[in-house]
Coordinates of all heavy atoms in Angstrom, one line a residue:
Chain A
K855 N 1.6 11.1 -8.5 CA 3.1 11.0 -8.3 C 3.5 9.6 -7.9 O 4.4 9.1 -8.3 CB 3.5 12.1 -7.3 CG 4.9 12.2 -7.1 CD 5.2 13.5 -6.3 CE 6.2 13.3 -5.2 NZ 6.5 14.5 -4.4
R915 N 0.7 12.4 -14.8 CA 2.1 11.8 -14.6 C 3.0 12.4 -15.6 O 4.2 12.6 -15.4 CB 2.0 10.3 -14.7 CG 1.6 9.7 -13.3 CD 1.7 8.2 -13.4 NE 3.0 7.6 -13.5 CZ 3.9 7.5 -12.5 NH1 3.5 7.9 -11.3 NH2 5.1 7.0 -12.6
P926 N 21.5 16.0 -20.3 CA 21.8 15.9 -21.7 C 21.6 14.5 -22.2 O 22.1 13.5 -21.6 CB 23.3 16.2 -21.8 CG 23.6 16.9 -20.5 CD 22.6 16.5 -19.5
Y928 N 21.7 11.6 -25.4 CA 22.2 11.2 -26.7 C 21.1 11.1 -27.7 O 20.1 10.4 -27.4 CB 23.0 9.9 -26.6 CG 23.2 9.2 -27.9 CD1 24.2 9.5 -28.7 CD2 22.4 8.1 -28.2 CE1 24.4 8.8 -29.9 CE2 22.6 7.4 -29.4 CZ 23.6 7.8 -30.2 OH 23.8 7.1 -31.4
D930 N 22.0 11.1 -31.6 CA 22.5 10.5 -32.8 C 24.0 10.7 -32.9 O 24.6 11.5 -32.3 CB 21.8 11.3 -34.1 CG 22.0 10.5 -35.3 OD1 22.4 9.3 -35.3 OD2 21.8 11.0 -36.4
L931 N 24.6 9.8 -33.7 CA 26.1 9.9 -34.0 C 26.3 9.7 -35.5 O 25.9 8.7 -36.0 CB 26.8 8.8 -33.2 CG 28.3 8.8 -33.4 CD1 29.0 9.8 -32.6 CD2 28.9 7.4 -33.2
Q944 N 53.1 21.3 -42.8 CA 53.7 20.0 -43.1 C 53.1 19.4 -44.3 O 51.9 19.3 -44.5 CB 53.4 19.1 -41.9 CG 54.6 18.1 -41.6 CD 54.3 17.4 -40.3 OE1 53.3 17.6 -39.6 NE2 55.2 16.4 -40.0
R945 N 54.0 18.9 -45.3 CA 53.5 18.2 -46.4 C 53.9 16.8 -46.3 O 54.7 16.4 -45.5 CB 54.1 18.8 -47.7 CG 54.0 20.3 -47.8 CD 52.6 20.8 -48.0 NE 52.4 22.0 -47.2 CZ 52.7 23.3 -47.6 NH1 53.2 23.4 -48.8 NH2 52.4 24.3 -46.9
Q946 N 53.3 15.9 -47.2 CA 53.6 14.5 -47.2 C 53.5 13.9 -45.8 O 54.4 13.3 -45.3 CB 55.0 14.2 -47.7 CG 55.2 14.7 -49.1 CD 56.6 14.5 -49.6 OE1 57.4 13.7 -49.0 NE2 57.0 15.2 -50.6
Y953 N 39.0 9.4 -37.5 CA 37.6 9.5 -37.5 C 37.1 10.8 -37.1 O 37.6 11.3 -36.1 CB 37.0 8.4 -36.6 CG 37.0 7.0 -37.1 CD1 38.0 6.2 -36.8 CD2 36.0 6.6 -38.0 CE1 38.0 4.9 -37.3 CE2 36.0 5.3 -38.5 CZ 37.0 4.5 -38.2 OH 37.1 3.2 -38.7
L984 N 31.8 20.5 -22.8 CA 31.6 21.0 -24.1 C 30.2 20.9 -24.6 O 29.9 21.1 -25.8 CB 32.5 20.2 -25.1 CG 34.0 20.3 -24.8 CD1 34.8 19.3 -25.5 CD2 34.5 21.7 -25.1
Q993 N 37.1 14.2 -32.9 CA 37.9 13.3 -33.7 C 38.4 12.2 -32.8 O 38.6 12.4 -31.6 CB 38.9 14.0 -34.5 CG 40.0 14.6 -33.6 CD 41.1 15.4 -34.5 OE1 40.7 16.2 -35.3 NE2 42.3 15.1 -34.2
E1007 N 30.5 -2.3 -24.9 CA 30.0 -3.7 -24.9 C 29.9 -4.2 -23.5 O 29.0 -4.8 -23.0 CB 30.9 -4.6 -25.7 CG 30.4 -4.7 -27.1 CD 31.4 -5.5 -28.0 OE1 32.4 -6.0 -27.5 OE2 31.2 -5.5 -29.2
A1009 N 29.6 -2.3 -20.8 CA 28.5 -1.5 -20.2 C 27.2 -2.1 -20.5 O 26.3 -2.3 -19.6 CB 28.5 -0.1 -20.7
M1022 N 17.5 -4.9 -9.2 CA 16.2 -4.5 -9.8 C 15.1 -5.2 -9.1 O 14.1 -4.6 -8.8 CB 16.2 -4.9 -11.3 CG 16.6 -3.8 -12.2 SD 16.3 -4.2 -13.9 CE 14.7 -3.8 -14.2
Chain B
K792 N 59.3 20.9 -43.7 CA 57.9 20.9 -44.1 C 57.6 20.1 -45.3 O 56.7 19.3 -45.4 CB 57.5 22.4 -44.3 CG 56.1 22.6 -44.8 CD 55.7 24.0 -44.8 CE 55.8 24.6 -46.2 NZ 55.4 26.1 -46.2
R829 N 59.7 17.0 -37.8 CA 58.4 16.8 -38.3 C 57.5 16.2 -37.3 O 56.3 16.5 -37.2 CB 58.5 15.9 -39.6 CG 58.9 16.6 -40.8 CD 59.1 15.6 -42.0 NE 57.9 15.0 -42.4 CZ 57.0 15.6 -43.3 NH1 57.2 16.8 -43.7 NH2 55.9 14.9 -43.7
P841 N 38.3 18.6 -31.0 CA 38.7 17.9 -29.7 C 38.8 16.4 -30.0 O 38.0 15.8 -30.6 CB 37.4 18.2 -28.8 CG 36.8 19.4 -29.4 CD 37.1 19.4 -30.9
I843 N 39.1 12.6 -28.9 CA 38.6 11.7 -27.8 C 39.8 10.9 -27.3 O 40.4 10.2 -28.1 CB 37.5 10.8 -28.3 CG1 36.3 11.7 -28.8 CG2 37.0 9.9 -27.2 CD1 35.2 10.8 -29.4
F852 N 19.9 3.3 -11.8 CA 18.5 3.1 -11.9 C 17.8 4.4 -11.4 O 18.0 4.8 -10.3 CB 18.0 1.9 -11.1 CG 18.2 0.6 -11.7 CD1 19.3 -0.2 -11.4 CD2 17.4 0.2 -12.7 CE1 19.5 -1.4 -12.0 CE2 17.6 -1.0 -13.4 CZ 18.7 -1.8 -13.0
N857 N 11.6 14.5 -7.1 CA 10.8 15.2 -6.2 C 9.4 15.4 -6.8 O 8.4 15.7 -6.1 CB 11.4 16.5 -5.7 CG 11.5 17.5 -6.9 OD1 11.7 17.0 -8.0 ND2 11.6 18.7 -6.6
E860 N 7.2 9.5 -8.9 CA 7.9 8.2 -8.6 C 7.6 7.3 -9.8 O 6.5 7.4 -10.4 CB 7.2 7.6 -7.4 CG 7.6 8.3 -6.1 CD 6.9 7.7 -4.9 OE1 6.5 6.5 -4.9 OE2 6.7 8.5 -3.9
Y867 N 22.1 5.0 -18.5 CA 23.6 5.0 -18.6 C 24.1 6.5 -18.6 O 23.5 7.3 -19.3 CB 24.0 4.3 -19.8 CG 24.0 2.9 -19.8 CD1 22.9 2.1 -20.3 CD2 25.0 2.1 -19.3 CE1 22.8 0.8 -20.2 CE2 25.0 0.7 -19.2 CZ 23.9 0.1 -19.7 OH 23.9 -1.3 -19.7
F882 N 35.4 17.6 -21.2 CA 34.5 16.5 -21.0 C 33.3 16.7 -21.8 O 32.8 17.8 -21.9 CB 34.1 16.3 -19.5 CG 35.3 16.1 -18.6 CD1 35.7 17.0 -17.7 CD2 36.0 14.9 -18.7 CE1 36.8 16.7 -16.8 CE2 37.1 14.7 -17.9 CZ 37.5 15.6 -17.0
T886 N 23.5 11.2 -21.2 CA 22.8 10.0 -20.7 C 22.2 9.3 -21.9 O 22.0 9.9 -22.9 CB 21.7 10.4 -19.7 OG1 20.7 11.2 -20.4 CG2 22.2 11.2 -18.6
K898 N 26.8 1.8 -34.4 CA 27.4 2.8 -35.3 C 28.9 2.8 -35.2 O 29.6 2.8 -36.2 CB 26.9 4.2 -35.0 CG 25.4 4.4 -35.3 CD 25.0 5.8 -35.3 CE 23.6 6.0 -35.9 NZ 22.6 6.4 -35.0
K900 N 30.8 0.3 -34.2 CA 31.3 -1.0 -34.7 C 31.4 -0.9 -36.3 O 32.3 -1.3 -36.9 CB 30.4 -2.1 -34.4 CG 30.7 -2.8 -33.0 CD 29.9 -4.0 -32.9 CE 30.3 -4.8 -31.6 NZ 29.2 -5.6 -31.1
A902 N 31.8 1.7 -38.0 CA 32.9 2.6 -38.3 C 34.2 1.9 -38.2 O 35.1 2.1 -39.1 CB 32.9 3.8 -37.3
V906 N 37.5 0.8 -41.5 CA 39.0 0.9 -41.6 C 39.5 -0.4 -42.2 O 40.4 -0.4 -43.1 CB 39.6 1.2 -40.2 CG1 41.1 1.1 -40.4 CG2 39.3 2.6 -39.8

Side-chain angles (χ1 to χ4, degrees):
Chain A
K855 185 166 138 181
R915 278 184 71 78
Y928 159 81
D930 197 13
L931 177 81
Q944 217 173 356
R945 311 292 142 84
Q946 295 177 23
Y953 283 97
L984 298 168
Q993 66 182 48
E1007 270 173 4
M1022 266 187 87
Chain B
K792 175 171 102 178
R829 276 175 70 81
I843 300 177
F852 277 102
N857 64 334
E860 286 176 28
Y867 283 96
F882 296 115
T886 62
K898 291 195 167 112
K900 271 191 174 155
V906 172

